[in-house]
Amino acid sequence: MNISRGFPTTLESARKPGVYPLVSPAQPIISDEFYKIFFLCTMPCIQFFNVAGIITNIINIVVFVKLGRAESTNISFQALAICDLVLSVLSVWTFTSTSLRLSTVSLPFEPYSVAILTGSGLWNFVVRWGALITAYISLERCLCILKPLKVKRILTPKVTTVAVMVMLVLTVGPALYLHIKYKFVWEAVPPLNKTILVVIRIKTSEVLLLGAVVNTFAGLMQPIAAFVTVVVCTVYLGIYLERASAWRRETSSTAAHTVKTPGKGTQEETSTSQKEQRVIRMVISIAVVFIVCLTPSTVHIFIMGIFPQFSFDAQYANIFNTMFILSCLGSSVNASVNIFIYHRMGSRYKTTFRQIFRIRDKDSTSN
């Protein structure tokens, strides 16, 4: 039985031309012992946030479905909740299957390698879908500030639905490449006197060329562009809110020395402005959490797209896996905290949430 990264593996697949088992050499930079300790210490925390993400995003989906599809922002937030739910489920399976590798339980498959195709590999693509959705939400809010009437006519709920589906195809579609690069095979393991399911890597020239295209487009350009868009839009929205607050303070100070009779139009404009600013604050909060939590994942994806040896089955496997754990931790936190932002800053979300779970306000309860 072969030993890789301190874990027993059964990936001694048949030596066929262009077919390589998922085995990596020893690493001097991050040792096997450090990686095992780091994995065991972080896994419970990640799984906690994963379970929380599953529960909270199911609630988010139910609430946004109840709110309807009349507003494009509800569609975007619902898509983001679906994405976070899928990420949480994939992360649960990835870390569960990886932890099985540490146990002595005899399984009909090799947990770590099988999780590549059914867990972590898909996770890498779905997380990019979430990044594009967040970038779309941030960019839409910026455009609403610059050209409010024109944008609301163009970015209708139908257009937003189509945009979300296009982003899904562009990010998750390339995941089909995983089933070209890797294959499920049944392999005999003499020490165990059984045949188990493993994954082998295809390394022909055609697959390597396709991999270079996929890594450049889906692995490097998409996530970096989405991350930069979120950062730029968040900075712009923050500046806009600061200027709006300064203008409101100046207006209030002027109104204190001037007697005015506000009309119906003034009240409507003030109400609309306040509603718009609440939405902007909510978008900024979501974007800031995204930037903080997804920075490890963005760095991980960037390095993976530049250095071919930065992979789970290549020279720097332990470094890759350690950074992947940090990426999963940040993604799990990001997927589980949005419900608190929605409830705190979204008045319609809060009302619908309380109606669904039959939560009464303290004032109405006391009366």
Side-chain angles (χ1 to χ4, degrees):
M1 183 172 292
N2 191 24
I3 303 296
S4 173
R5 295 187 296 277
F7 298 114
T9 66
T10 53
L11 302 176
E12 299 171 350
S13 38
R15 304 297 180 182
K16 298 179 182 179
V19 177
Y20 298 83
L22 303 180
V23 177
S24 62
Q27 319 258 327
I29 300 178
I30 292 183
S31 64
D32 298 335
E33 291 75 16
F34 174 85
Y35 171 68
K36 289 170 66 175
I37 294 173
F38 184 74
F39 173 81
L40 292 174
C41 291
T42 54
M43 186 188 66
C45 185
I46 294 175
Q47 294 290 55
F48 169 80
F49 284 110
N50 286 336
V51 174
I54 292 174
I55 297 172
T56 57
N57 283 293
I58 290 176
I59 296 174
N60 287 337
I61 293 171
V62 172
V63 173
F64 284 119
V65 169
K66 188 78 173 177
L67 285 172
R69 304 170 64 86
E71 297 184 7
S72 59
T73 51
N74 290 341
I75 298 174
S76 300
F77 289 143
Q78 182 180 342
L80 186 61
I82 294 173
C83 177
D84 288 339
L85 175 61
V86 174
L87 284 174
S88 298
V89 172
L90 289 175
S91 187
V92 166
W93 163 240
T94 298
F95 282 89
T96 300
S97 60
T98 305
S99 62
L100 290 175
R101 196 176 186 183
L102 295 173
S103 66
T104 57
V105 179
S106 179
L107 299 171
F109 61 91
E110 205 289 316
Y112 180 80
S113 62
V114 170
I116 299 299
L117 283 180
T118 59
S120 59
L122 294 176
W123 181 93
N124 275 316
F125 288 94
V126 177
V127 74
R128 295 160 193 169
W129 182 38
L132 284 183
I133 294 174
T134 307
Y136 179 86
I137 294 172
S138 304
L139 184 60
E140 178 191 23
R141 198 45 46 190
C142 288
L143 294 177
C144 284
I145 294 173
L146 296 173
K147 300 287 184 179
L149 297 178
K150 183 179 292 187
V151 170
K152 289 181 179 179
R153 286 197 303 265
I154 297 175
L155 297 182
T156 61
K158 289 184 179 179
V159 172
T160 300
T161 301
V162 173
V164 168
M165 297 306 298
V166 170
M167 287 184 283
L168 175 64
V169 172
L170 290 177
T171 52
V172 182
L176 296 174
Y177 165 69
L178 292 174
H179 294 276
I180 300 175
K181 183 178 180 181
Y182 303 106
K183 288 177 58 178
F184 286 113
V185 295
W186 289 97
E187 180 181 332
V189 184
L192 301 178
N193 194 25
K194 62 186 298 187
T195 301
I196 66 172
L197 185 67
V198 299
V199 174
I200 59 174
R201 177 163 55 107
I202 311 299
K203 204 174 181 180
T204 60
S205 58
E206 295 82 1
V207 173
L208 292 176
L209 178 60
L210 179 61
V213 174
V214 172
N215 288 334
T216 301
F217 175 69
L220 189 60
M221 295 175 59
Q222 282 185 358
I224 299 300
F227 189 82
V228 171
T229 301
V230 173
V231 172
V232 172
C233 291
T234 303
V235 171
Y236 176 80
L237 291 174
I239 294 173
Y240 171 81
L241 271 186
E242 180 61 29
R243 289 179 178 176
S245 299
W247 176 84
R248 190 166 58 250
R249 289 193 298 267
E250 182 180 351
T251 304
S252 301
S253 176
T254 304
H257 298 86
T258 306
V259 179
K260 289 186 179 181
T261 305
K264 181 179 179 181
T266 306
Q267 293 176 355
E268 289 179 353
E269 290 176 2
T270 303
S271 176
T272 303
S273 176
Q274 290 177 351
K275 178 183 177 182
E276 182 71 19
Q277 290 186 18
R278 283 199 302 269
V279 176
I280 292 174
R281 287 192 181 93
M282 184 167 65
V283 171
I284 290 177
S285 300
I286 294 173
V288 169
V289 172
F290 170 86
I291 293 170
V292 173
C293 294
L294 271 294
T295 295
S297 177
T298 304
V299 174
H300 182 259
I301 290 172
F302 181 75
I303 298 175
M304 186 169 54
I306 294 179
F307 300 102
Q309 293 301 317
F310 188 73
S311 176
F312 70 94
D313 58 348
Q315 182 178 356
Y316 302 107
N318 280 354
I319 302 177
F320 175 91
N321 290 328
T322 301
M323 290 193 65
F324 178 75
I325 291 174
L326 290 175
S327 301
C328 287
L329 177 59
S331 176
S332 300
V333 173
N334 178 66
S336 60
V337 299
N338 283 342
I339 188 172
F340 302 105
I341 298 175
Y342 298 146
H343 190 272
R344 179 69 178 83
M345 299 183 175
S347 57
R348 291 187 60 199
Y349 180 96
K350 184 176 181 179
T351 301
T352 306
F353 177 89
R354 289 174 175 269
Q355 288 175 352
I356 292 174
F357 293 97
R358 299 180 180 179
I359 301 174
R360 296 184 179 181
D361 294 331
K362 294 181 179 179
D363 296 336
S364 60
T365 304
S366 60
N367 293 334

